[in-house]
Amino acid sequence: MLEKVYIARHGNYSDDSDRCLQTAKPVSSALGIPIYVEHGELFPPEILAIIWLAEWFSPVVPGTGLHPRPGSAESLRQYFPEIDTSWSSVWYVSRKGEDVNQIHDRTDGFLEAFEVELERKFTVKHSRVLLVSHAATIITLVRSLLDNRDFPIRVGCCSISEFERVPGEQRRLGSWKALRLADGSHLKDGASRDWGFEDIEISGGKVCADIVCLMALGIDIA
């Protein structure tokens, strides 16, 4: 059973699609551990595994296409040889996008499925994991672990959050104690370019910009 979860936001790299992998790469190299691509491994006891989680995209306007999806672990390994392709993603994000409630549902579902899959697939003890992702996904991960969808938090680049399972707790959600939240004290100038859901305008769980687009297209959003 997992005992600690670390969550890191990507660094300030120019390529949005590979930012998380670029951030995970030096950690992987320094510790000699693999990166596992999860679009939500066998490792010895007490060794950290690095999992990359997918970005959040708000819902597409109907008739305008689908959001891109990151390549498979196999295709990405030519650029990041630290990737271990033995892990199969337990959760694929809809290419139609997600509203704010749906990304919370996604991270709840991912965390439930992820730990179950770890316990099913590997017999060796797994105690710590590092999740590397983007701001919106990290915020909902924090809220899922604390089982509080209204928890106020902003996340800066390269910030770290650390969670420890409450002794005796068996639940996958809400059984964690936050030791650090979006902490940037390890950085010379602290965490930068922080982001929170309050930076977008929401009506009924939907990003207002998307609602405006739908209305401009004459699409009924009732």
Side-chain angles (χ1 to χ4, degrees):
M1 178 175 288
L2 285 176
E3 297 170 4
K4 278 200 173 183
V5 173
Y6 300 87
I7 307 173
R9 185 183 173 192
H10 61 71
N12 264 333
Y13 295 97
S14 60
D15 187 342
D16 183 66
S17 61
D18 289 337
R19 285 176 183 173
C20 293
L21 291 172
Q22 290 169 310
T23 302
K25 181 180 176 71
V27 180
S28 174
S29 298
L31 299 180
I33 57 176
I35 298 170
Y36 298 96
V37 173
E38 170 60 47
H39 289 91
E41 77 220 275
L42 183 59
F43 46 96
E46 300 304 321
I47 297 297
L48 189 74
I50 304 173
I51 307 290
W52 166 50
L53 298 175
E55 171 68 292
W56 171 57
F57 294 105
S58 56
V60 297
V61 174
T64 61
L66 300 173
H67 288 302
R69 173 172 288 163
S72 66
E74 290 80 4
S75 67
L76 292 168
R77 196 172 189 275
Q78 63 180 311
Y79 308 109
F80 300 93
E82 297 82 3
I83 290 175
D84 186 326
T85 59
S86 66
W87 177 263
S88 297
S89 291
V90 300
W91 202 278
Y92 281 92
V93 183
S94 170
R95 293 185 62 194
K96 295 180 179 180
E98 305 161 297
D99 62 28
V100 176
N101 291 327
Q102 287 169 334
I103 187 177
H104 281 88
D105 291 342
R106 187 236 296 188
T107 48
D108 281 357
F110 163 74
L111 287 170
E112 293 273 12
F114 173 65
E115 193 169 359
V116 168
E117 181 63 8
L118 281 181
E119 294 170 358
R120 183 197 70 79
K121 190 169 184 178
F122 305 116
T123 57
V124 177
K125 175 183 171 68
H126 45 274
S127 62
R128 296 177 292 166
V129 65
L130 168 62
L131 306 175
V132 182
S133 193
H134 301 260
T137 312
I138 289 172
I139 290 170
T140 56
L141 283 168
V142 166
R143 291 174 172 178
S144 292
L145 290 170
L146 297 176
D147 197 20
N148 181 356
R149 290 194 174 189
D150 296 318
F151 186 82
I153 181 172
R154 298 181 63 83
V155 179
C157 288
C158 290
S159 61
I160 297 286
S161 297
E162 178 182 357
F163 292 84
E164 182 176 74
R165 191 186 292 275
V166 176
E169 279 281 6
Q170 301 297 315
R171 293 177 300 154
R172 314 212 183 264
L173 307 179
S175 62
W176 297 87
K177 175 184 178 181
L179 304 180
R180 289 186 285 171
L181 286 172
D183 179 35
S185 62
H186 56 289
L187 302 169
K188 179 182 177 181
D189 299 316
S192 62
R193 299 183 64 185
D194 64 326
W195 187 91
F197 277 108
E198 60 269 27
D199 292 336
I200 59 175
E201 304 237 358
I202 301 172
S203 176
K206 298 186 183 299
V207 180
C208 287
D210 296 333
I211 294 174
V212 170
C213 289
L214 291 173
M215 292 176 66
L217 291 172
I219 298 173
D220 184 7
I221 59 172

